Structure formats: C-alpha cells, structure tokens
Amino acid sequence: EKVDSVVFDLMVEDTSGQPVDFHVDLDVPGVYGPSVGDGGNSTVNANSAEPIHLDIPDARQHNLPQVIRGKYHPDKLPENGLLYTDGRCFEHFFHPESLAPMPRNFVFLIDKSSSMQFDSKIESAKQALTLFIDSLTPEDTFTIQSFGNKGTEQLWGSGPGTTEKKQDAKNFVNSMSLSSWDTNLHEAFLEGLVRAKHDASVSDDNVATILVVLSDGYATRGETNRTKIAEHIYELNDEGTVKIFSLGFEGSADMQLLDAIALMNGGVSVPLLRGQDGFAEQITNFLDSELGSVLMSDVNVQYSGASEETKVYDATQNTFPLLADGYEVVVRGLVGESGDDKTLRTITSASTLEGIKNWELSVTPDDMGTVKSSLCFQSYAHDRITQLLRLYDASDFLGNELIKRLVTLSSQKDCDEKEFAKCIRAEALALATEANVVAKGLTAMVTVDDDGCMKVHDDAEVCIDGTTPDGREPARDENNYDYAYDESDNTESMAA
C-alpha cells in the first residue's frame, strides 16, 4: 500500500551510557530518493535510482541525522510471497491479499487495582476498550474480566458483537471502579485462560481466540513467584489455543513477565509510554493494528532444499500466532552447503476463514552482487540477535528447560544444558561480531582510522578488532560478559 510517512523511533547509547533518542522519517518518492537532514545542520540528497544506505560506524562519535524524509509506493507482494536467497542467506516475505478476516474470540483482562487511578490510566483503558468494542462484528465473541485483589473482580460476558451486546458491554466498562492496591496476576491469567479456552472449544476451527491483558503492577497477591506464574500459564495453554497479548504501563507493570508470557504463548507485549501519545491512543493503536483484522492464525513456515544437501538453519521466528491485515510474515535464515540443485523451497500453512490453506514457493540463488548479499546477511543478523536477546532476557526467571522449547541454537550440541541461557547470549554475540552489528546491551563498536589500532580516541582500551592498543586481547568477565584488561587471557570476541 502507499505509505506517506513512516517514523522509526531509534535509540543509540552515547559514550556516557545515556540513551539518545532520534527519529527517522522515511519517505521515498517514486522508487527511492529522499533527503537526509540533521535538523538544519546539513542535508544529503540521495540518488533517486538507488536505495539509501546510512553507514555510521560508531553512532556515538557523529552528529546523527534527526530526520530522513520522503514517501514510497511499493509493489504488492505476490500471493504466494516473495523469497530471495544468495546461496548463503535467505529472506521470505508473505502476505496474501485474497484472505477475508477471521472471526475472533476475545477475553479482555483489565487491571482495576488502585494504582490505575494515577495518570488517568483507568480512564484511558475505558476509552480505548469502548472504542475497540465498537469495531467488533456479530461473528466475534468477547468477555471482559477486571482483576485486582482477586483474579476476577467483575465480569461481563461472554457475548457476541451485536449492537445490543456491545452497548451493554460499554456500560459495564464505564461503570468499573477501582479496588484494592493488590494485584493477583496469577489468578487473573488462569481464570481468563479457562474462559478463553471454553470459548474456543465451542467455536469453529476458523475462529482465532485471543486473551488481552492490560496491567499496571507486579504480582503482589496470591502466587507472586514470577517463574511459577509463567510456568502455570504455559502449562494451561500448552496446546497454544489461546494467543496472549499484553500491554503494561511503563514504570509500574512487570514488563519482563508480561513479555515472557506473550513470548511463550504466541503473542506480543508492549509498554505504554509516558510522554508520547496518550495512553488511550497507544492502547487503541495496538488493538486496531495487532488484532483489528485477523487474516490468519497458527501460521507455520517450513523450508527445504531440492537436494538433501541443502539445509536451512538458524532461522528467525517461523511460527506466528496471528497475522493481521497490514502486517507481513518475515522469516530470515541461513542456507548450508548445497548440491548441484540449489533450489530453496518453502511451504506456508495457516488457519484462515476458509480453513487450513497452504502456499508453496521456490527460488534459486540470485547472484545480485555483494551489496545485496551483505544487506541480506545484515538483516538476518539483526533479526536473529533480537530474537535471541529477547529469549535471553526471559531466561532470567523462566529457567533453561522452558527456554529450550522456544529456540534451537547452532551450538546446541556443545552447550551445557545448565548454561543454556549463556549459550543464547554467546551465540548472539558471535553473530553480532561476524556481521558487525551493534546491539544494545550486547556489543559496542569502536572505530577511528589508525594504522596500529582502530579505536575511538587515544584513551580507548579496546580496538575494533578486539585487541587492546598494544596488540593484546582483553579478557572477558564470565559473570557479566563485560571485558576486563588482562595480560594472560585471550578471547576472540569483540568488545562488549
């Protein structure tokens, strides 16, 4: 579809460790060709026939551009998707245009603990939920469950998205009042899951069942052990029937727990941020974009080669709980040694309004030069590192056994099962080093032209090639993955 304005909110850490926010506003007239500006200091015009490549070796050492402007109108994806491989890396984009929206079962869990009184949080939640209720159709069903001291404080539904029921539900939402200061997340999730699974059991196979939680606090009543909460939710939903989506108010919600629960139960979690769009607008945008028009559920993408020698490995996420209109399935990965026939094949399967459908696609390696090949690997590395670090963050309290069910590592055979979380981070660091990717909290690149040592300034302790200015390699502190100067120990990793 035509896009008039795309805004990317990016964050780069400066040398003091404090985050520096800047915006990228992408517009590409015709094919490519926007201008790059730094808020008035300078402007760089890109060639109208070439894509923009903004290369900042060390973003902390430069005046970053604040805005990239333009607009673009890309072609539609083919019905079966778009698959590219250079023989080493592959990228797969998929969004069929022909699908109609699926009916949905919703269970909304709304926090009504007393902390919701601050910053108009409860009013924002009511406003956003009533707007979303208006968008429901008679084919949808929904339940509203408020929680606080108990897992269920008040309950409406379930009912269909008819005009009469929607008005009754909106009256219920507007009448919700705050309860105690305690938050029983454990009971709220489990009771909501039981209701959602019941709705799924009496629905057709072409209905997507979704649990949405809006939370403003940590678990302070009932079961408060975060590992047990996540485990119990996962065990109750082990067949993946219910997709869990979470929204948490920044600074007060337990976002690490909410993200881990969403990760393990086929959903998405987002923080609601202060100082940006109002809470009500953020909630509304999330519900509309992620859940407003569901085209597919239980999307699974599999890859194989025409010959047995062709192997796909270390792919990014290839199963997706839902695909909403306006989004694409994007999978990236690596291709191993191939035989004479280097054809790469993919089969995408998903539940749709018309039942389970399959889409097949095949492609041979495209020799488009080193630039496109490099960009393919860079894009893959970024996505894979993001995936691994999200799992690593969740491993803090989920434990190795649960995390192992969610990812396959290339080094898994050599990994001590008791140290699986460290293996996840080590693999992410190795990939970042190979791809020269700077990942927040993982790597930091330092670079300046110098025949003896490429470093930021004369006082730098580590060069870009991982050595110290006098040629020795820094030692890593195994406890925190930072690097410390040591004369005897050698490592092969980039400074982190």
PDB file of all heavy atoms in Angstrom, residues 125-156:
ATOM      1  N   ALA A 125      -7.918   3.358  29.751  1.00  0.00           N
ATOM      2  CA  ALA A 125      -8.285   1.975  29.451  1.00  0.00           C
ATOM      3  C   ALA A 125      -9.755   1.882  29.045  1.00  0.00           C
ATOM      4  O   ALA A 125     -10.103   1.197  28.073  1.00  0.00           O
ATOM      5  CB  ALA A 125      -8.005   1.085  30.663  1.00  0.00           C
ATOM      6  N   LYS A 126     -10.621   2.573  29.773  1.00  0.00           N
ATOM      7  CA  LYS A 126     -12.048   2.550  29.447  1.00  0.00           C
ATOM      8  C   LYS A 126     -12.298   3.144  28.065  1.00  0.00           C
ATOM      9  O   LYS A 126     -13.064   2.590  27.262  1.00  0.00           O
ATOM     10  CB  LYS A 126     -12.833   3.325  30.506  1.00  0.00           C
ATOM     11  CG  LYS A 126     -12.896   2.667  31.868  1.00  0.00           C
ATOM     12  CD  LYS A 126     -13.694   3.528  32.839  1.00  0.00           C
ATOM     13  CE  LYS A 126     -13.815   2.897  34.210  1.00  0.00           C
ATOM     14  NZ  LYS A 126     -14.608   3.725  35.154  1.00  0.00           N
ATOM     15  N   GLN A 127     -11.659   4.257  27.785  1.00  0.00           N
ATOM     16  CA  GLN A 127     -11.866   4.929  26.500  1.00  0.00           C
ATOM     17  C   GLN A 127     -11.432   4.038  25.341  1.00  0.00           C
ATOM     18  O   GLN A 127     -12.150   3.887  24.347  1.00  0.00           O
ATOM     19  CB  GLN A 127     -11.082   6.242  26.478  1.00  0.00           C
ATOM     20  CG  GLN A 127     -11.213   7.020  25.174  1.00  0.00           C
ATOM     21  CD  GLN A 127     -10.360   8.278  25.176  1.00  0.00           C
ATOM     22  OE1 GLN A 127      -9.924   8.761  26.232  1.00  0.00           O
ATOM     23  NE2 GLN A 127     -10.104   8.823  23.999  1.00  0.00           N
ATOM     24  N   ALA A 128     -10.247   3.436  25.459  1.00  0.00           N
ATOM     25  CA  ALA A 128      -9.730   2.599  24.372  1.00  0.00           C
ATOM     26  C   ALA A 128     -10.563   1.338  24.195  1.00  0.00           C
ATOM     27  O   ALA A 128     -10.843   0.921  23.061  1.00  0.00           O
ATOM     28  CB  ALA A 128      -8.271   2.238  24.651  1.00  0.00           C
ATOM     29  N   LEU A 129     -10.973   0.725  25.300  1.00  0.00           N
ATOM     30  CA  LEU A 129     -11.731  -0.521  25.201  1.00  0.00           C
ATOM     31  C   LEU A 129     -13.113  -0.281  24.602  1.00  0.00           C
ATOM     32  O   LEU A 129     -13.579  -1.080  23.777  1.00  0.00           O
ATOM     33  CB  LEU A 129     -11.850  -1.172  26.577  1.00  0.00           C
ATOM     34  CG  LEU A 129     -12.493  -2.564  26.622  1.00  0.00           C
ATOM     35  CD1 LEU A 129     -11.805  -3.514  25.652  1.00  0.00           C
ATOM     36  CD2 LEU A 129     -12.461  -3.129  28.036  1.00  0.00           C
ATOM     37  N   THR A 130     -13.765   0.809  24.978  1.00  0.00           N
ATOM     38  CA  THR A 130     -15.085   1.085  24.394  1.00  0.00           C
ATOM     39  C   THR A 130     -14.974   1.347  22.892  1.00  0.00           C
ATOM     40  O   THR A 130     -15.852   0.932  22.122  1.00  0.00           O
ATOM     41  CB  THR A 130     -15.752   2.280  25.089  1.00  0.00           C
ATOM     42  OG1 THR A 130     -14.866   3.409  25.068  1.00  0.00           O
ATOM     43  CG2 THR A 130     -16.095   1.951  26.530  1.00  0.00           C
ATOM     44  N   LEU A 131     -13.909   2.008  22.462  1.00  0.00           N
ATOM     45  CA  LEU A 131     -13.722   2.237  21.030  1.00  0.00           C
ATOM     46  C   LEU A 131     -13.510   0.916  20.290  1.00  0.00           C
ATOM     47  O   LEU A 131     -14.049   0.710  19.191  1.00  0.00           O
ATOM     48  CB  LEU A 131     -12.512   3.158  20.789  1.00  0.00           C
ATOM     49  CG  LEU A 131     -12.712   4.647  21.071  1.00  0.00           C
ATOM     50  CD1 LEU A 131     -11.392   5.387  20.938  1.00  0.00           C
ATOM     51  CD2 LEU A 131     -13.750   5.242  20.124  1.00  0.00           C
ATOM     52  N   PHE A 132     -12.739   0.014  20.887  1.00  0.00           N
ATOM     53  CA  PHE A 132     -12.488  -1.263  20.221  1.00  0.00           C
ATOM     54  C   PHE A 132     -13.742  -2.125  20.200  1.00  0.00           C
ATOM     55  O   PHE A 132     -13.991  -2.840  19.224  1.00  0.00           O
ATOM     56  CB  PHE A 132     -11.341  -2.003  20.897  1.00  0.00           C
ATOM     57  CG  PHE A 132     -10.862  -3.192  20.121  1.00  0.00           C
ATOM     58  CD1 PHE A 132     -10.172  -3.030  18.932  1.00  0.00           C
ATOM     59  CD2 PHE A 132     -11.108  -4.483  20.571  1.00  0.00           C
ATOM     60  CE1 PHE A 132      -9.726  -4.126  18.198  1.00  0.00           C
ATOM     61  CE2 PHE A 132     -10.671  -5.581  19.850  1.00  0.00           C
ATOM     62  CZ  PHE A 132      -9.978  -5.404  18.658  1.00  0.00           C
ATOM     63  N   ILE A 133     -14.533  -2.065  21.263  1.00  0.00           N
ATOM     64  CA  ILE A 133     -15.789  -2.814  21.290  1.00  0.00           C
ATOM     65  C   ILE A 133     -16.682  -2.395  20.123  1.00  0.00           C
ATOM     66  O   ILE A 133     -17.344  -3.227  19.488  1.00  0.00           O
ATOM     67  CB  ILE A 133     -16.506  -2.605  22.642  1.00  0.00           C
ATOM     68  CG1 ILE A 133     -15.750  -3.350  23.749  1.00  0.00           C
ATOM     69  CG2 ILE A 133     -17.954  -3.082  22.578  1.00  0.00           C
ATOM     70  CD1 ILE A 133     -16.244  -3.056  25.151  1.00  0.00           C
ATOM     71  N   ASP A 134     -16.673  -1.105  19.807  1.00  0.00           N
ATOM     72  CA  ASP A 134     -17.487  -0.622  18.679  1.00  0.00           C
ATOM     73  C   ASP A 134     -17.097  -1.286  17.366  1.00  0.00           C
ATOM     74  O   ASP A 134     -17.922  -1.391  16.446  1.00  0.00           O
ATOM     75  CB  ASP A 134     -17.345   0.898  18.540  1.00  0.00           C
ATOM     76  CG  ASP A 134     -18.240   1.660  19.506  1.00  0.00           C
ATOM     77  OD1 ASP A 134     -19.304   1.121  19.869  1.00  0.00           O
ATOM     78  OD2 ASP A 134     -17.862   2.782  19.895  1.00  0.00           O
ATOM     79  N   SER A 135     -15.838  -1.724  17.235  1.00  0.00           N
ATOM     80  CA  SER A 135     -15.361  -2.298  15.980  1.00  0.00           C
ATOM     81  C   SER A 135     -15.687  -3.783  15.837  1.00  0.00           C
ATOM     82  O   SER A 135     -15.479  -4.360  14.760  1.00  0.00           O
ATOM     83  CB  SER A 135     -13.840  -2.101  15.861  1.00  0.00           C
ATOM     84  OG  SER A 135     -13.152  -2.940  16.777  1.00  0.00           O
ATOM     85  N   LEU A 136     -16.168  -4.429  16.902  1.00  0.00           N
ATOM     86  CA  LEU A 136     -16.458  -5.858  16.847  1.00  0.00           C
ATOM     87  C   LEU A 136     -17.662  -6.139  15.959  1.00  0.00           C
ATOM     88  O   LEU A 136     -18.551  -5.296  15.787  1.00  0.00           O
ATOM     89  CB  LEU A 136     -16.699  -6.396  18.255  1.00  0.00           C
ATOM     90  CG  LEU A 136     -15.540  -6.255  19.245  1.00  0.00           C
ATOM     91  CD1 LEU A 136     -15.928  -6.790  20.617  1.00  0.00           C
ATOM     92  CD2 LEU A 136     -14.293  -6.965  18.731  1.00  0.00           C
ATOM     93  N   THR A 137     -17.695  -7.330  15.392  1.00  0.00           N
ATOM     94  CA  THR A 137     -18.778  -7.746  14.499  1.00  0.00           C
ATOM     95  C   THR A 137     -19.629  -8.812  15.184  1.00  0.00           C
ATOM     96  O   THR A 137     -19.188  -9.436  16.169  1.00  0.00           O
ATOM     97  CB  THR A 137     -18.218  -8.316  13.189  1.00  0.00           C
ATOM     98  OG1 THR A 137     -17.581  -9.576  13.456  1.00  0.00           O
ATOM     99  CG2 THR A 137     -17.192  -7.349  12.582  1.00  0.00           C
ATOM    100  N   PRO A 138     -20.838  -9.077  14.675  1.00  0.00           N
ATOM    101  CA  PRO A 138     -21.672 -10.135  15.272  1.00  0.00           C
ATOM    102  C   PRO A 138     -21.025 -11.514  15.245  1.00  0.00           C
ATOM    103  O   PRO A 138     -21.407 -12.386  16.026  1.00  0.00           O
ATOM    104  CB  PRO A 138     -22.941 -10.096  14.398  1.00  0.00           C
ATOM    105  CG  PRO A 138     -22.999  -8.700  13.881  1.00  0.00           C
ATOM    106  CD  PRO A 138     -21.568  -8.315  13.657  1.00  0.00           C
ATOM    107  N   GLU A 139     -20.030 -11.716  14.364  1.00  0.00           N
ATOM    108  CA  GLU A 139     -19.335 -13.010  14.314  1.00  0.00           C
ATOM    109  C   GLU A 139     -18.320 -13.155  15.442  1.00  0.00           C
ATOM    110  O   GLU A 139     -17.850 -14.262  15.728  1.00  0.00           O
ATOM    111  CB  GLU A 139     -18.629 -13.188  12.968  1.00  0.00           C
ATOM    112  CG  GLU A 139     -19.549 -13.400  11.786  1.00  0.00           C
ATOM    113  CD  GLU A 139     -20.286 -12.143  11.376  1.00  0.00           C
ATOM    114  OE1 GLU A 139     -19.701 -11.032  11.534  1.00  0.00           O
ATOM    115  OE2 GLU A 139     -21.446 -12.244  10.935  1.00  0.00           O
ATOM    116  N   ASP A 140     -17.940 -12.048  16.076  1.00  0.00           N
ATOM    117  CA  ASP A 140     -16.993 -12.079  17.189  1.00  0.00           C
ATOM    118  C   ASP A 140     -17.714 -12.360  18.492  1.00  0.00           C
ATOM    119  O   ASP A 140     -18.904 -12.048  18.647  1.00  0.00           O
ATOM    120  CB  ASP A 140     -16.261 -10.734  17.311  1.00  0.00           C
ATOM    121  CG  ASP A 140     -15.476 -10.376  16.068  1.00  0.00           C
ATOM    122  OD1 ASP A 140     -14.858 -11.280  15.486  1.00  0.00           O
ATOM    123  OD2 ASP A 140     -15.495  -9.190  15.678  1.00  0.00           O
ATOM    124  N   THR A 141     -16.998 -12.940  19.453  1.00  0.00           N
ATOM    125  CA  THR A 141     -17.483 -13.034  20.834  1.00  0.00           C
ATOM    126  C   THR A 141     -16.446 -12.396  21.750  1.00  0.00           C
ATOM    127  O   THR A 141     -15.255 -12.369  21.418  1.00  0.00           O
ATOM    128  CB  THR A 141     -17.716 -14.492  21.270  1.00  0.00           C
ATOM    129  OG1 THR A 141     -16.468 -15.192  21.249  1.00  0.00           O
ATOM    130  CG2 THR A 141     -18.702 -15.190  20.361  1.00  0.00           C
ATOM    131  N   PHE A 142     -16.897 -11.887  22.904  1.00  0.00           N
ATOM    132  CA  PHE A 142     -15.939 -11.257  23.797  1.00  0.00           C
ATOM    133  C   PHE A 142     -16.408 -11.319  25.238  1.00  0.00           C
ATOM    134  O   PHE A 142     -17.603 -11.394  25.537  1.00  0.00           O
ATOM    135  CB  PHE A 142     -15.652  -9.817  23.369  1.00  0.00           C
ATOM    136  CG  PHE A 142     -16.815  -8.860  23.467  1.00  0.00           C
ATOM    137  CD1 PHE A 142     -16.828  -7.845  24.424  1.00  0.00           C
ATOM    138  CD2 PHE A 142     -17.895  -8.948  22.594  1.00  0.00           C
ATOM    139  CE1 PHE A 142     -17.885  -6.949  24.513  1.00  0.00           C
ATOM    140  CE2 PHE A 142     -18.949  -8.050  22.668  1.00  0.00           C
ATOM    141  CZ  PHE A 142     -18.948  -7.059  23.625  1.00  0.00           C
ATOM    142  N   THR A 143     -15.401 -11.294  26.122  1.00  0.00           N
ATOM    143  CA  THR A 143     -15.598 -11.316  27.568  1.00  0.00           C
ATOM    144  C   THR A 143     -14.743 -10.218  28.166  1.00  0.00           C
ATOM    145  O   THR A 143     -13.618  -9.975  27.697  1.00  0.00           O
ATOM    146  CB  THR A 143     -15.173 -12.679  28.155  1.00  0.00           C
ATOM    147  OG1 THR A 143     -15.965 -13.714  27.581  1.00  0.00           O
ATOM    148  CG2 THR A 143     -15.325 -12.704  29.669  1.00  0.00           C
ATOM    149  N   ILE A 144     -15.240  -9.567  29.207  1.00  0.00           N
ATOM    150  CA  ILE A 144     -14.468  -8.542  29.913  1.00  0.00           C
ATOM    151  C   ILE A 144     -14.351  -8.956  31.372  1.00  0.00           C
ATOM    152  O   ILE A 144     -15.361  -9.147  32.052  1.00  0.00           O
ATOM    153  CB  ILE A 144     -15.134  -7.158  29.806  1.00  0.00           C
ATOM    154  CG1 ILE A 144     -15.333  -6.779  28.341  1.00  0.00           C
ATOM    155  CG2 ILE A 144     -14.276  -6.097  30.512  1.00  0.00           C
ATOM    156  CD1 ILE A 144     -16.214  -5.567  28.143  1.00  0.00           C
ATOM    157  N   GLN A 145     -13.124  -9.089  31.844  1.00  0.00           N
ATOM    158  CA  GLN A 145     -12.840  -9.531  33.211  1.00  0.00           C
ATOM    159  C   GLN A 145     -11.912  -8.515  33.860  1.00  0.00           C
ATOM    160  O   GLN A 145     -10.803  -8.298  33.383  1.00  0.00           O
ATOM    161  CB  GLN A 145     -12.186 -10.914  33.172  1.00  0.00           C
ATOM    162  CG  GLN A 145     -11.598 -11.397  34.482  1.00  0.00           C
ATOM    163  CD  GLN A 145     -10.765 -12.656  34.296  1.00  0.00           C
ATOM    164  OE1 GLN A 145     -11.021 -13.478  33.413  1.00  0.00           O
ATOM    165  NE2 GLN A 145      -9.730 -12.806  35.130  1.00  0.00           N
ATOM    166  N   SER A 146     -12.352  -7.883  34.920  1.00  0.00           N
ATOM    167  CA  SER A 146     -11.460  -6.988  35.657  1.00  0.00           C
ATOM    168  C   SER A 146     -10.824  -7.754  36.808  1.00  0.00           C
ATOM    169  O   SER A 146     -11.405  -8.693  37.347  1.00  0.00           O
ATOM    170  CB  SER A 146     -12.224  -5.769  36.179  1.00  0.00           C
ATOM    171  OG  SER A 146     -13.162  -6.147  37.169  1.00  0.00           O
ATOM    172  N   PHE A 147      -9.600  -7.357  37.173  1.00  0.00           N
ATOM    173  CA  PHE A 147      -8.890  -8.054  38.242  1.00  0.00           C
ATOM    174  C   PHE A 147      -8.186  -7.047  39.140  1.00  0.00           C
ATOM    175  O   PHE A 147      -7.906  -5.915  38.748  1.00  0.00           O
ATOM    176  CB  PHE A 147      -7.895  -9.076  37.686  1.00  0.00           C
ATOM    177  CG  PHE A 147      -6.744  -8.475  36.921  1.00  0.00           C
ATOM    178  CD1 PHE A 147      -5.530  -8.191  37.541  1.00  0.00           C
ATOM    179  CD2 PHE A 147      -6.864  -8.196  35.561  1.00  0.00           C
ATOM    180  CE1 PHE A 147      -4.468  -7.647  36.836  1.00  0.00           C
ATOM    181  CE2 PHE A 147      -5.808  -7.656  34.847  1.00  0.00           C
ATOM    182  CZ  PHE A 147      -4.610  -7.376  35.482  1.00  0.00           C
ATOM    183  N   GLY A 148      -7.893  -7.474  40.337  1.00  0.00           N
ATOM    184  CA  GLY A 148      -7.189  -6.653  41.325  1.00  0.00           C
ATOM    185  C   GLY A 148      -6.770  -7.549  42.460  1.00  0.00           C
ATOM    186  O   GLY A 148      -5.898  -8.410  42.321  1.00  0.00           O
ATOM    187  N   ASN A 149      -7.433  -7.405  43.606  1.00  0.00           N
ATOM    188  CA  ASN A 149      -7.181  -8.264  44.753  1.00  0.00           C
ATOM    189  C   ASN A 149      -7.493  -9.722  44.431  1.00  0.00           C
ATOM    190  O   ASN A 149      -6.841 -10.641  44.901  1.00  0.00           O
ATOM    191  CB  ASN A 149      -8.036  -7.787  45.933  1.00  0.00           C
ATOM    192  CG  ASN A 149      -7.654  -8.461  47.229  1.00  0.00           C
ATOM    193  OD1 ASN A 149      -6.483  -8.621  47.520  1.00  0.00           O
ATOM    194  ND2 ASN A 149      -8.662  -8.876  48.006  1.00  0.00           N
ATOM    195  N   LYS A 150      -8.508  -9.931  43.588  1.00  0.00           N
ATOM    196  CA  LYS A 150      -8.893 -11.260  43.125  1.00  0.00           C
ATOM    197  C   LYS A 150      -8.666 -11.356  41.619  1.00  0.00           C
ATOM    198  O   LYS A 150      -8.618 -10.352  40.927  1.00  0.00           O
ATOM    199  CB  LYS A 150     -10.367 -11.534  43.456  1.00  0.00           C
ATOM    200  CG  LYS A 150     -10.677 -11.551  44.935  1.00  0.00           C
ATOM    201  CD  LYS A 150     -12.147 -11.900  45.199  1.00  0.00           C
ATOM    202  CE  LYS A 150     -13.079 -10.809  44.680  1.00  0.00           C
ATOM    203  NZ  LYS A 150     -14.500 -11.099  45.011  1.00  0.00           N
ATOM    204  N   GLY A 151      -8.566 -12.579  41.135  1.00  0.00           N
ATOM    205  CA  GLY A 151      -8.374 -12.777  39.713  1.00  0.00           C
ATOM    206  C   GLY A 151      -9.537 -12.262  38.893  1.00  0.00           C
ATOM    207  O   GLY A 151      -9.360 -11.818  37.753  1.00  0.00           O
ATOM    208  N   THR A 152     -10.735 -12.353  39.460  1.00  0.00           N
ATOM    209  CA  THR A 152     -11.924 -11.787  38.813  1.00  0.00           C
ATOM    210  C   THR A 152     -12.648 -10.910  39.810  1.00  0.00           C
ATOM    211  O   THR A 152     -13.214 -11.404  40.789  1.00  0.00           O
ATOM    212  CB  THR A 152     -12.870 -12.895  38.309  1.00  0.00           C
ATOM    213  OG1 THR A 152     -12.175 -13.762  37.406  1.00  0.00           O
ATOM    214  CG2 THR A 152     -14.069 -12.285  37.599  1.00  0.00           C
ATOM    215  N   GLU A 153     -12.611  -9.610  39.582  1.00  0.00           N
ATOM    216  CA  GLU A 153     -13.339  -8.665  40.429  1.00  0.00           C
ATOM    217  C   GLU A 153     -14.744  -8.425  39.867  1.00  0.00           C
ATOM    218  O   GLU A 153     -15.731  -8.434  40.593  1.00  0.00           O
ATOM    219  CB  GLU A 153     -12.582  -7.341  40.507  1.00  0.00           C
ATOM    220  CG  GLU A 153     -11.245  -7.424  41.226  1.00  0.00           C
ATOM    221  CD  GLU A 153     -11.386  -7.416  42.745  1.00  0.00           C
ATOM    222  OE1 GLU A 153     -12.538  -7.288  43.237  1.00  0.00           O
ATOM    223  OE2 GLU A 153     -10.372  -7.541  43.444  1.00  0.00           O
ATOM    224  N   GLN A 154     -14.817  -8.203  38.570  1.00  0.00           N
ATOM    225  CA  GLN A 154     -16.090  -8.019  37.877  1.00  0.00           C
ATOM    226  C   GLN A 154     -16.011  -8.758  36.556  1.00  0.00           C
ATOM    227  O   GLN A 154     -14.935  -8.926  35.982  1.00  0.00           O
ATOM    228  CB  GLN A 154     -16.373  -6.532  37.629  1.00  0.00           C
ATOM    229  CG  GLN A 154     -16.592  -5.708  38.896  1.00  0.00           C
ATOM    230  CD  GLN A 154     -16.674  -4.221  38.576  1.00  0.00           C
ATOM    231  OE1 GLN A 154     -15.656  -3.584  38.313  1.00  0.00           O
ATOM    232  NE2 GLN A 154     -17.880  -3.670  38.585  1.00  0.00           N
ATOM    233  N   LEU A 155     -17.178  -9.186  36.034  1.00  0.00           N
ATOM    234  CA  LEU A 155     -17.196  -9.996  34.818  1.00  0.00           C
ATOM    235  C   LEU A 155     -18.388  -9.631  33.950  1.00  0.00           C
ATOM    236  O   LEU A 155     -19.509  -9.497  34.438  1.00  0.00           O
ATOM    237  CB  LEU A 155     -17.256 -11.485  35.189  1.00  0.00           C
ATOM    238  CG  LEU A 155     -17.221 -12.489  34.028  1.00  0.00           C
ATOM    239  CD1 LEU A 155     -15.863 -12.452  33.330  1.00  0.00           C
ATOM    240  CD2 LEU A 155     -17.524 -13.904  34.541  1.00  0.00           C
ATOM    241  N   TRP A 156     -18.092  -9.476  32.665  1.00  0.00           N
ATOM    242  CA  TRP A 156     -19.162  -9.330  31.676  1.00  0.00           C
ATOM    243  C   TRP A 156     -18.957 -10.366  30.588  1.00  0.00           C
ATOM    244  O   TRP A 156     -17.849 -10.569  30.097  1.00  0.00           O
ATOM    245  CB  TRP A 156     -19.119  -7.940  31.028  1.00  0.00           C
ATOM    246  CG  TRP A 156     -20.260  -7.735  30.043  1.00  0.00           C
ATOM    247  CD1 TRP A 156     -21.464  -7.167  30.301  1.00  0.00           C
ATOM    248  CD2 TRP A 156     -20.287  -8.129  28.663  1.00  0.00           C
ATOM    249  NE1 TRP A 156     -22.250  -7.182  29.180  1.00  0.00           N
ATOM    250  CE2 TRP A 156     -21.540  -7.779  28.148  1.00  0.00           C
ATOM    251  CE3 TRP A 156     -19.377  -8.763  27.822  1.00  0.00           C
ATOM    252  CZ2 TRP A 156     -21.922  -8.026  26.829  1.00  0.00           C
ATOM    253  CZ3 TRP A 156     -19.742  -9.026  26.510  1.00  0.00           C
ATOM    254  CH2 TRP A 156     -20.991  -8.647  26.028  1.00  0.00           C
TER     255      TRP A 156
END
